[in-house]
Amino acid sequence: MHNKADVPALQALGISRFFRTSEGPVAAVNRVSLSLRAGEFVCLVGPSGSGKTTLLYCLSGLDLPNTGVIMIDGRLFYDAAQRSRFGEDHLAEARMASVGFVFQSYHLLSSLTALENVMVPLRLTGSSRKEARQRARELLDEVDLIHRHDHFPHQLSGGEQQRVAVARAMANRPRVLLADEPTGSLDYENGLRVVRLLRELSTRHRTAVLMVTHIREHSEFTDRVLTMQAGEFVHGRGETG
Amino acid sequence: MVDIIVANLRRNRARVALVVSGVVLGLLTNLVTTYYFTYMTGLDEGEGFLPLPADIILNPVTAEYAHHPDVSHFEEVFVLTAHTAAGIHEILAYPRHSRFTTGYVMVEGYWPRDSWELAVPRSWVLRSDVGVGETTNVTIRFGGFSVVSQFVISGVFESPFLTYDVPVMLTEGYERTEGFAQRRVFIEVREGANVDRLAAALARQETATAETPALVARGRSVQRWQDVYGDAMAWSYTLSTMLLVVCSLGMMNVMALSVQERRSEMAVLKTFGVRSPGIFVLFFGESALVATISVAVTLLLYGLAGAALYLAGIIPYFGLQWPLIRNLCTAALVVAFVPPFYPAGLGMGYSTVRLLQR
């Protein structure tokens, strides 16, 4: 019998994603395997075009890998060998419950306030308005933006918008948080603040975080660094796979 | 999802404004046309000025039959049955609160000048194979009894907008029903009632009405009015349609500008686990809300503007012109609903990854 603590928050085995081109299939991600423990903060680095973002999309089920298996919290999330079993409905439901996503360009809903943006995933999973509001306020407090709760995205700075996006991604207490260059649109200081925030939240909520970044200094805050090149991992600090 | 739809109203204010302005301008065009028409014809109020619909109001003399001891049920429904060379045609019967509106244009002959003449719709002529100058027998049925009368067809009319299919006869009710339909009376007699006496009384009344000289004069006024008003209405509809087309294009532009933003929104929602039908609900809900608010605001503004024009004496009569409102509201719904589906269609067809790519 496995102890719950031993079960990886995210486990991916043999993930490949091929794209058809006029010159034949190209592997954006090629037989990649990784495992993230609960509360672990892992940094994914590599040159542009190395397959980092594609891997993140595959791990979140936004894109479907051609091969491989993904487990979240010990439960089968996706198996390429049984593709027909894992349709849009299954992936949407599983993603809603277990995966948070932070984008480089924030993607806040412009007609909603900061508080309402954080409430969106909660409302979508059936929380009452009151519960969602309460939880959203707590999260905004955690990202130090409670005083800006009624501001619209255009009234917030880039760093503040990204912190709201982080709060939104954490709203449903995901087991895994995938962050695609969350500091890419920010200056160094604000970028650092967002990374520190992700680190804190990861530890506090025991959420596994996989963050794509180009900034080497961010690795100071992470437990491990994975380096990708041409769709495959190359060994880096703390990496085994 | 409802939260997002309601919140998006902030962003959709421009859409509401576009729809409202288009429809209000269309309706005001109609009011101005009415004013132009009044000015051009120089008709006095109540004398052939019939630009807006009114309830069919019963001839006061006939109304007495509602309380007649022989009558058990009284309703303003009039059924005409025409006997022509092509056979017997039951024409139409309308309930009491039917509204009849403008838009008919005389295409041949003239409007009836006395009560033994009929102006008939073109569709009816084609169906019955009779023409101007010919005689037709019309059976006027009142519940359990009927009166057969002979009429001369004095004119043929048609409407590009409306399809009411009923002959026009000069009667007391004529001025109230704007010359497009006859007064309609439906009477059920009590058992044992003297039906012949009742029928004869009604028939006498028709004759008496028709012989009133003032009514003949009014009939001529209406004929003049019809010529001018037919043109005016056609212009009104054309202008209204053009305004709505312009608004639709404006709406398309507004929506096209926000495609990128909407793509981002769809991508985020899909990332959170919202499925394609959910995205459809979002856009449909937004459009429904925009359309509902637009129509409500439009009717309010139109009502206020119409009442103001009426109180200022610019237009002699104001009432909600149902067919016009119906048509323009339909157009408003189209304007509110169709353009938003441009980005929605784009979004629903794309994968989340593609939506996330700029």
Side-chain angles (χ1 to χ4, degrees), chain B residues 331-357:
Chain B
L333 291 178
V334 172
V335 172
F337 264 93
V338 176
F341 281 92
Y342 169 52
L346 278 179
M348 281 187 289
Y350 287 171
S351 69
T352 312
V353 172
R354 187 163 177 196
L355 287 170
L356 286 167
Q357 288 164 348

PDB file of all heavy atoms in Angstrom, chain B residues 331-357:
ATOM      1  N   ALA B 331     -34.844  42.955 -36.501  1.00  0.00           N
ATOM      2  CA  ALA B 331     -33.557  43.368 -37.052  1.00  0.00           C
ATOM      3  C   ALA B 331     -32.543  43.589 -35.930  1.00  0.00           C
ATOM      4  O   ALA B 331     -31.376  43.208 -36.048  1.00  0.00           O
ATOM      5  CB  ALA B 331     -33.731  44.647 -37.860  1.00  0.00           C
ATOM      6  N   ALA B 332     -33.021  44.172 -34.814  1.00  0.00           N
ATOM      7  CA  ALA B 332     -32.125  44.417 -33.674  1.00  0.00           C
ATOM      8  C   ALA B 332     -31.584  43.100 -33.139  1.00  0.00           C
ATOM      9  O   ALA B 332     -30.411  42.990 -32.800  1.00  0.00           O
ATOM     10  CB  ALA B 332     -32.868  45.161 -32.572  1.00  0.00           C
ATOM     11  N   LEU B 333     -32.439  42.100 -33.092  1.00  0.00           N
ATOM     12  CA  LEU B 333     -31.994  40.794 -32.600  1.00  0.00           C
ATOM     13  C   LEU B 333     -30.928  40.217 -33.526  1.00  0.00           C
ATOM     14  O   LEU B 333     -29.934  39.667 -33.075  1.00  0.00           O
ATOM     15  CB  LEU B 333     -33.189  39.836 -32.503  1.00  0.00           C
ATOM     16  CG  LEU B 333     -34.210  40.165 -31.418  1.00  0.00           C
ATOM     17  CD1 LEU B 333     -35.365  39.184 -31.461  1.00  0.00           C
ATOM     18  CD2 LEU B 333     -33.575  40.146 -30.037  1.00  0.00           C
ATOM     19  N   VAL B 334     -31.172  40.397 -34.829  1.00  0.00           N
ATOM     20  CA  VAL B 334     -30.194  39.880 -35.794  1.00  0.00           C
ATOM     21  C   VAL B 334     -28.862  40.597 -35.610  1.00  0.00           C
ATOM     22  O   VAL B 334     -27.791  39.977 -35.537  1.00  0.00           O
ATOM     23  CB  VAL B 334     -30.709  40.059 -37.245  1.00  0.00           C
ATOM     24  CG1 VAL B 334     -29.621  39.719 -38.255  1.00  0.00           C
ATOM     25  CG2 VAL B 334     -31.932  39.182 -37.462  1.00  0.00           C
ATOM     26  N   VAL B 335     -28.946  41.938 -35.479  1.00  0.00           N
ATOM     27  CA  VAL B 335     -27.719  42.730 -35.321  1.00  0.00           C
ATOM     28  C   VAL B 335     -26.998  42.330 -34.030  1.00  0.00           C
ATOM     29  O   VAL B 335     -25.781  42.245 -33.977  1.00  0.00           O
ATOM     30  CB  VAL B 335     -28.053  44.240 -35.309  1.00  0.00           C
ATOM     31  CG1 VAL B 335     -26.825  45.054 -34.964  1.00  0.00           C
ATOM     32  CG2 VAL B 335     -28.582  44.657 -36.667  1.00  0.00           C
ATOM     33  N   ALA B 336     -27.778  42.086 -32.981  1.00  0.00           N
ATOM     34  CA  ALA B 336     -27.160  41.760 -31.688  1.00  0.00           C
ATOM     35  C   ALA B 336     -26.589  40.351 -31.676  1.00  0.00           C
ATOM     36  O   ALA B 336     -25.598  40.081 -31.022  1.00  0.00           O
ATOM     37  CB  ALA B 336     -28.184  41.910 -30.568  1.00  0.00           C
ATOM     38  N   PHE B 337     -27.220  39.454 -32.416  1.00  0.00           N
ATOM     39  CA  PHE B 337     -26.834  38.048 -32.302  1.00  0.00           C
ATOM     40  C   PHE B 337     -25.781  37.605 -33.306  1.00  0.00           C
ATOM     41  O   PHE B 337     -24.886  36.849 -32.966  1.00  0.00           O
ATOM     42  CB  PHE B 337     -28.070  37.150 -32.491  1.00  0.00           C
ATOM     43  CG  PHE B 337     -28.675  36.740 -31.186  1.00  0.00           C
ATOM     44  CD1 PHE B 337     -29.701  37.474 -30.625  1.00  0.00           C
ATOM     45  CD2 PHE B 337     -28.198  35.636 -30.502  1.00  0.00           C
ATOM     46  CE1 PHE B 337     -30.246  37.119 -29.408  1.00  0.00           C
ATOM     47  CE2 PHE B 337     -28.744  35.269 -29.288  1.00  0.00           C
ATOM     48  CZ  PHE B 337     -29.764  36.006 -28.741  1.00  0.00           C
ATOM     49  N   VAL B 338     -25.920  38.066 -34.543  1.00  0.00           N
ATOM     50  CA  VAL B 338     -25.087  37.478 -35.587  1.00  0.00           C
ATOM     51  C   VAL B 338     -23.603  37.854 -35.463  1.00  0.00           C
ATOM     52  O   VAL B 338     -22.752  36.967 -35.422  1.00  0.00           O
ATOM     53  CB  VAL B 338     -25.648  37.824 -36.988  1.00  0.00           C
ATOM     54  CG1 VAL B 338     -24.734  37.289 -38.075  1.00  0.00           C
ATOM     55  CG2 VAL B 338     -27.047  37.233 -37.130  1.00  0.00           C
ATOM     56  N   PRO B 339     -23.265  39.150 -35.351  1.00  0.00           N
ATOM     57  CA  PRO B 339     -21.833  39.477 -35.352  1.00  0.00           C
ATOM     58  C   PRO B 339     -21.022  38.803 -34.241  1.00  0.00           C
ATOM     59  O   PRO B 339     -19.891  38.385 -34.480  1.00  0.00           O
ATOM     60  CB  PRO B 339     -21.816  41.006 -35.201  1.00  0.00           C
ATOM     61  CG  PRO B 339     -23.135  41.445 -35.706  1.00  0.00           C
ATOM     62  CD  PRO B 339     -24.087  40.357 -35.296  1.00  0.00           C
ATOM     63  N   PRO B 340     -21.551  38.651 -33.008  1.00  0.00           N
ATOM     64  CA  PRO B 340     -20.726  38.038 -31.974  1.00  0.00           C
ATOM     65  C   PRO B 340     -20.286  36.615 -32.304  1.00  0.00           C
ATOM     66  O   PRO B 340     -19.315  36.123 -31.762  1.00  0.00           O
ATOM     67  CB  PRO B 340     -21.639  38.039 -30.743  1.00  0.00           C
ATOM     68  CG  PRO B 340     -22.615  39.100 -30.999  1.00  0.00           C
ATOM     69  CD  PRO B 340     -22.825  39.122 -32.472  1.00  0.00           C
ATOM     70  N   PHE B 341     -21.007  35.962 -33.184  1.00  0.00           N
ATOM     71  CA  PHE B 341     -20.661  34.584 -33.465  1.00  0.00           C
ATOM     72  C   PHE B 341     -19.461  34.468 -34.399  1.00  0.00           C
ATOM     73  O   PHE B 341     -18.947  33.389 -34.616  1.00  0.00           O
ATOM     74  CB  PHE B 341     -21.876  33.822 -34.007  1.00  0.00           C
ATOM     75  CG  PHE B 341     -22.783  33.429 -32.883  1.00  0.00           C
ATOM     76  CD1 PHE B 341     -23.815  34.236 -32.487  1.00  0.00           C
ATOM     77  CD2 PHE B 341     -22.539  32.258 -32.174  1.00  0.00           C
ATOM     78  CE1 PHE B 341     -24.614  33.896 -31.417  1.00  0.00           C
ATOM     79  CE2 PHE B 341     -23.330  31.909 -31.096  1.00  0.00           C
ATOM     80  CZ  PHE B 341     -24.373  32.722 -30.725  1.00  0.00           C
ATOM     81  N   TYR B 342     -19.008  35.614 -34.879  1.00  0.00           N
ATOM     82  CA  TYR B 342     -17.791  35.604 -35.695  1.00  0.00           C
ATOM     83  C   TYR B 342     -16.600  35.174 -34.841  1.00  0.00           C
ATOM     84  O   TYR B 342     -15.968  34.153 -35.133  1.00  0.00           O
ATOM     85  CB  TYR B 342     -17.626  36.986 -36.331  1.00  0.00           C
ATOM     86  CG  TYR B 342     -16.310  37.245 -36.982  1.00  0.00           C
ATOM     87  CD1 TYR B 342     -15.800  36.358 -37.926  1.00  0.00           C
ATOM     88  CD2 TYR B 342     -15.569  38.384 -36.684  1.00  0.00           C
ATOM     89  CE1 TYR B 342     -14.593  36.603 -38.531  1.00  0.00           C
ATOM     90  CE2 TYR B 342     -14.370  38.634 -37.283  1.00  0.00           C
ATOM     91  CZ  TYR B 342     -13.873  37.737 -38.206  1.00  0.00           C
ATOM     92  OH  TYR B 342     -12.677  37.990 -38.792  1.00  0.00           O
ATOM     93  N   PRO B 343     -16.315  35.900 -33.728  1.00  0.00           N
ATOM     94  CA  PRO B 343     -15.216  35.429 -32.889  1.00  0.00           C
ATOM     95  C   PRO B 343     -15.534  34.097 -32.208  1.00  0.00           C
ATOM     96  O   PRO B 343     -14.651  33.268 -32.018  1.00  0.00           O
ATOM     97  CB  PRO B 343     -15.044  36.539 -31.847  1.00  0.00           C
ATOM     98  CG  PRO B 343     -16.305  37.304 -31.855  1.00  0.00           C
ATOM     99  CD  PRO B 343     -16.871  37.177 -33.239  1.00  0.00           C
ATOM    100  N   ALA B 344     -16.810  33.914 -31.859  1.00  0.00           N
ATOM    101  CA  ALA B 344     -17.175  32.670 -31.182  1.00  0.00           C
ATOM    102  C   ALA B 344     -16.916  31.477 -32.096  1.00  0.00           C
ATOM    103  O   ALA B 344     -16.380  30.457 -31.676  1.00  0.00           O
ATOM    104  CB  ALA B 344     -18.635  32.711 -30.762  1.00  0.00           C
ATOM    105  N   GLY B 345     -17.301  31.636 -33.354  1.00  0.00           N
ATOM    106  CA  GLY B 345     -17.100  30.571 -34.329  1.00  0.00           C
ATOM    107  C   GLY B 345     -15.627  30.262 -34.495  1.00  0.00           C
ATOM    108  O   GLY B 345     -15.213  29.099 -34.541  1.00  0.00           O
ATOM    109  N   LEU B 346     -14.836  31.346 -34.550  1.00  0.00           N
ATOM    110  CA  LEU B 346     -13.391  31.161 -34.676  1.00  0.00           C
ATOM    111  C   LEU B 346     -12.864  30.372 -33.483  1.00  0.00           C
ATOM    112  O   LEU B 346     -12.110  29.420 -33.624  1.00  0.00           O
ATOM    113  CB  LEU B 346     -12.691  32.527 -34.683  1.00  0.00           C
ATOM    114  CG  LEU B 346     -12.641  33.299 -35.990  1.00  0.00           C
ATOM    115  CD1 LEU B 346     -11.925  34.619 -35.756  1.00  0.00           C
ATOM    116  CD2 LEU B 346     -11.908  32.499 -37.046  1.00  0.00           C
ATOM    117  N   GLY B 347     -13.317  30.806 -32.304  1.00  0.00           N
ATOM    118  CA  GLY B 347     -12.792  30.233 -31.072  1.00  0.00           C
ATOM    119  C   GLY B 347     -13.179  28.792 -30.883  1.00  0.00           C
ATOM    120  O   GLY B 347     -12.366  27.970 -30.458  1.00  0.00           O
ATOM    121  N   MET B 348     -14.441  28.488 -31.202  1.00  0.00           N
ATOM    122  CA  MET B 348     -14.906  27.136 -30.938  1.00  0.00           C
ATOM    123  C   MET B 348     -14.259  26.124 -31.873  1.00  0.00           C
ATOM    124  O   MET B 348     -14.136  24.958 -31.550  1.00  0.00           O
ATOM    125  CB  MET B 348     -16.427  27.081 -31.023  1.00  0.00           C
ATOM    126  CG  MET B 348     -17.049  27.625 -29.750  1.00  0.00           C
ATOM    127  SD  MET B 348     -18.811  27.419 -29.668  1.00  0.00           S
ATOM    128  CE  MET B 348     -19.348  28.576 -30.875  1.00  0.00           C
ATOM    129  N   GLY B 349     -13.863  26.621 -33.056  1.00  0.00           N
ATOM    130  CA  GLY B 349     -13.243  25.715 -34.016  1.00  0.00           C
ATOM    131  C   GLY B 349     -11.777  25.447 -33.708  1.00  0.00           C
ATOM    132  O   GLY B 349     -11.200  24.493 -34.206  1.00  0.00           O
ATOM    133  N   TYR B 350     -11.174  26.311 -32.875  1.00  0.00           N
ATOM    134  CA  TYR B 350      -9.740  26.188 -32.621  1.00  0.00           C
ATOM    135  C   TYR B 350      -9.472  25.366 -31.374  1.00  0.00           C
ATOM    136  O   TYR B 350     -10.252  25.360 -30.439  1.00  0.00           O
ATOM    137  CB  TYR B 350      -9.123  27.579 -32.415  1.00  0.00           C
ATOM    138  CG  TYR B 350      -8.998  28.414 -33.665  1.00  0.00           C
ATOM    139  CD1 TYR B 350      -8.638  29.753 -33.575  1.00  0.00           C
ATOM    140  CD2 TYR B 350      -9.230  27.876 -34.915  1.00  0.00           C
ATOM    141  CE1 TYR B 350      -8.522  30.538 -34.700  1.00  0.00           C
ATOM    142  CE2 TYR B 350      -9.119  28.652 -36.050  1.00  0.00           C
ATOM    143  CZ  TYR B 350      -8.761  29.987 -35.944  1.00  0.00           C
ATOM    144  OH  TYR B 350      -8.645  30.748 -37.057  1.00  0.00           O
ATOM    145  N   SER B 351      -8.304  24.731 -31.363  1.00  0.00           N
ATOM    146  CA  SER B 351      -7.871  24.067 -30.134  1.00  0.00           C
ATOM    147  C   SER B 351      -7.398  25.136 -29.154  1.00  0.00           C
ATOM    148  O   SER B 351      -7.106  26.268 -29.552  1.00  0.00           O
ATOM    149  CB  SER B 351      -6.722  23.109 -30.441  1.00  0.00           C
ATOM    150  OG  SER B 351      -5.580  23.854 -30.782  1.00  0.00           O
ATOM    151  N   THR B 352      -7.317  24.759 -27.890  1.00  0.00           N
ATOM    152  CA  THR B 352      -6.881  25.722 -26.872  1.00  0.00           C
ATOM    153  C   THR B 352      -5.472  26.222 -27.181  1.00  0.00           C
ATOM    154  O   THR B 352      -5.168  27.406 -27.028  1.00  0.00           O
ATOM    155  CB  THR B 352      -6.904  25.055 -25.486  1.00  0.00           C
ATOM    156  OG1 THR B 352      -8.152  24.393 -25.345  1.00  0.00           O
ATOM    157  CG2 THR B 352      -6.744  26.081 -24.386  1.00  0.00           C
ATOM    158  N   VAL B 353      -4.629  25.303 -27.629  1.00  0.00           N
ATOM    159  CA  VAL B 353      -3.249  25.698 -27.928  1.00  0.00           C
ATOM    160  C   VAL B 353      -3.220  26.758 -29.016  1.00  0.00           C
ATOM    161  O   VAL B 353      -2.518  27.760 -28.921  1.00  0.00           O
ATOM    162  CB  VAL B 353      -2.427  24.455 -28.350  1.00  0.00           C
ATOM    163  CG1 VAL B 353      -1.051  24.870 -28.845  1.00  0.00           C
ATOM    164  CG2 VAL B 353      -2.318  23.491 -27.187  1.00  0.00           C
ATOM    165  N   ARG B 354      -4.056  26.578 -30.017  1.00  0.00           N
ATOM    166  CA  ARG B 354      -4.071  27.545 -31.112  1.00  0.00           C
ATOM    167  C   ARG B 354      -4.615  28.895 -30.628  1.00  0.00           C
ATOM    168  O   ARG B 354      -4.165  29.944 -31.062  1.00  0.00           O
ATOM    169  CB  ARG B 354      -4.928  27.006 -32.259  1.00  0.00           C
ATOM    170  CG  ARG B 354      -4.832  27.887 -33.474  1.00  0.00           C
ATOM    171  CD  ARG B 354      -5.309  27.210 -34.721  1.00  0.00           C
ATOM    172  NE  ARG B 354      -5.262  28.150 -35.833  1.00  0.00           N
ATOM    173  CZ  ARG B 354      -5.870  27.972 -36.968  1.00  0.00           C
ATOM    174  NH1 ARG B 354      -6.556  26.878 -37.182  1.00  0.00           N
ATOM    175  NH2 ARG B 354      -5.802  28.875 -37.915  1.00  0.00           N
ATOM    176  N   LEU B 355      -5.600  28.821 -29.725  1.00  0.00           N
ATOM    177  CA  LEU B 355      -6.150  30.066 -29.185  1.00  0.00           C
ATOM    178  C   LEU B 355      -5.102  30.810 -28.363  1.00  0.00           C
ATOM    179  O   LEU B 355      -5.099  32.037 -28.321  1.00  0.00           O
ATOM    180  CB  LEU B 355      -7.362  29.757 -28.298  1.00  0.00           C
ATOM    181  CG  LEU B 355      -8.635  29.334 -29.010  1.00  0.00           C
ATOM    182  CD1 LEU B 355      -9.655  28.826 -28.009  1.00  0.00           C
ATOM    183  CD2 LEU B 355      -9.218  30.495 -29.798  1.00  0.00           C
ATOM    184  N   LEU B 356      -4.213  30.048 -27.739  1.00  0.00           N
ATOM    185  CA  LEU B 356      -3.200  30.682 -26.899  1.00  0.00           C
ATOM    186  C   LEU B 356      -2.088  31.301 -27.727  1.00  0.00           C
ATOM    187  O   LEU B 356      -1.384  32.203 -27.269  1.00  0.00           O
ATOM    188  CB  LEU B 356      -2.591  29.654 -25.935  1.00  0.00           C
ATOM    189  CG  LEU B 356      -3.489  29.240 -24.762  1.00  0.00           C
ATOM    190  CD1 LEU B 356      -2.941  28.015 -24.082  1.00  0.00           C
ATOM    191  CD2 LEU B 356      -3.623  30.392 -23.770  1.00  0.00           C
ATOM    192  N   GLN B 357      -1.937  30.797 -28.961  1.00  0.00           N
ATOM    193  CA  GLN B 357      -0.874  31.348 -29.811  1.00  0.00           C
ATOM    194  C   GLN B 357      -1.333  32.670 -30.388  1.00  0.00           C
ATOM    195  O   GLN B 357      -2.464  32.799 -30.833  1.00  0.00           O
ATOM    196  CB  GLN B 357      -0.557  30.367 -30.949  1.00  0.00           C
ATOM    197  CG  GLN B 357       0.173  29.134 -30.457  1.00  0.00           C
ATOM    198  CD  GLN B 357       0.158  28.012 -31.467  1.00  0.00           C
ATOM    199  OE1 GLN B 357      -0.585  28.047 -32.459  1.00  0.00           O
ATOM    200  NE2 GLN B 357       0.962  27.009 -31.219  1.00  0.00           N
TER     201      GLN B 357
END
